[in-house]
Amino acid sequence: MKHHLIRYKTKPELADENERLVKAVFQQLRDKSPEGVRYMTWRSGDGTFVHLVETETEGHADLITGLAAFEAFQSGIRDRCIEPPHREVMTVVGNYRMLDE
């Protein structure tokens, strides 16, 4: 399993638009129901978004990035941000009912 954490902060006036675009990605994922990928996004009150992506293999990451809704989300992401996206590969140290075992 690969785990990635992506964090960025949007401009206040564009946080709702960013959320709308993120929700469209989740809707498309629900519609397609791909195996091998798990994905969660949080939004804080200051417009910070945190995405946690878990994929079984590197190839499974394409199941998200290949979505039309994800392409729409990516389009203009840097213009929506105060702090640009930062991606880190993460290692799970502990997990209680958050991730597949």
Side-chain angles (χ1 to χ4, degrees):
M1 290 281 182
K2 295 276 187 176
H3 299 92
H4 294 268
L5 184 89
I6 301 100
R7 183 181 185 282
Y8 56 92
K9 186 173 182 178
T10 59
K11 296 174 183 172
E13 68 276 13
L14 297 174
D16 289 342
E17 173 66 7
N18 194 74
E19 181 175 325
R20 183 190 69 74
L21 291 163
V22 169
K23 286 181 175 181
V25 172
F26 282 99
Q27 183 59 56
Q28 198 166 23
L29 282 169
R30 281 189 291 278
D31 293 345
K32 292 187 178 278
S33 257
E35 294 296 322
V37 64
R38 294 169 57 88
Y39 185 25
M40 175 181 256
T41 301
W42 294 274
R43 176 185 174 180
S44 72
D46 72 351
T48 297
F49 286 79
V50 178
H51 300 249
L52 178 62
V53 183
E54 178 185 85
T55 56
E56 287 183 18
T57 68
E58 287 296 328
H60 285 101
D62 295 342
L63 296 172
I64 296 173
T65 59
L67 296 172
F70 187 82
E71 291 175 14
F73 162 73
Q74 284 290 92
S75 177
I77 184 68
R78 294 206 181 266
D79 294 333
R80 291 192 304 274
C81 289
I82 295 171
E83 297 172 11
H86 177 72
R87 175 185 212 113
E88 295 180 61
V89 175
M90 305 296 287
T91 301
V92 176
V93 175
N95 170 37
Y96 180 74
R97 296 186 182 177
M98 288 296 291
L99 305 170
D100 273 345
E101 298 278 328

